[in-house]
Amino acid sequence: MSAEDLENYETDMELALYREYRDVVGLFSYVVETERRFYLANQVDLQVRSAAGEVYFEVGLNDAWVWDVYRSARFVKSVRVVTFKDVNVEELAKADLDLPEGGGFRR
């Protein structure tokens, strides 16, 4: 495999991951960014901890999706992240259009 083939493969994988993200983002309520990963989740518990004078963050996520091109299964039931770096948690905006209850439109 040439360097160009490898680069094309990685580009295709990133594009497929972005398309998957675009398709699933509406299923989630939160975006969570750490120094290593990007997550979508429906439940987030962020705790600030300290031990031996050091401050760290413990993040619990439930019903999550992980942005990772190398994972075959990106949907996970729960995730626990422990980090000394910054953590960013944002609530996603709800869609402007709410579908009517009952799943159909009236004529």
Side-chain angles (χ1 to χ4, degrees):
M1 179 180 271
S2 72
E4 184 177 335
D5 290 339
L6 181 58
E7 186 175 322
N8 288 339
Y9 173 77
E10 289 176 347
T11 300
D12 290 345
M13 293 296 290
E14 284 285 337
L15 182 58
L17 182 61
Y18 169 75
R19 287 178 176 153
E20 182 178 328
Y21 162 80
R22 186 186 61 203
D23 291 343
V24 303
V25 69
L27 302 172
F28 296 94
S29 299
Y30 298 94
V31 171
V32 178
E33 294 176 90
T34 69
E35 80 276 6
R36 297 209 43 193
R37 296 274 192 284
F38 176 90
Y39 303 90
L40 298 172
N42 281 321
Q43 189 175 42
V44 178
D45 179 35
L46 175 63
Q47 300 293 321
V48 179
R49 309 271 193 215
S50 69
E54 294 288 331
V55 173
Y56 66 95
F57 303 96
E58 186 173 337
V59 186
L61 308 172
N62 289 317
D63 186 23
W65 181 87
V66 183
W67 178 287
D68 187 339
V69 74
Y70 299 106
R71 290 178 66 105
S72 59
R74 286 183 270 278
F75 288 96
V76 290
K77 184 176 179 178
S78 65
V79 176
R80 181 175 170 251
V81 178
V82 177
T83 181
F84 288 92
K85 305 285 184 174
D86 290 341
V87 176
N88 183 46
V89 178
E90 296 179 25
E91 186 171 5
L92 292 167
K94 299 296 178 197
D96 292 334
L97 174 65
D98 289 326
L99 296 177
E101 302 235 355
F105 292 98
R106 295 184 184 155
R107 291 184 182 206

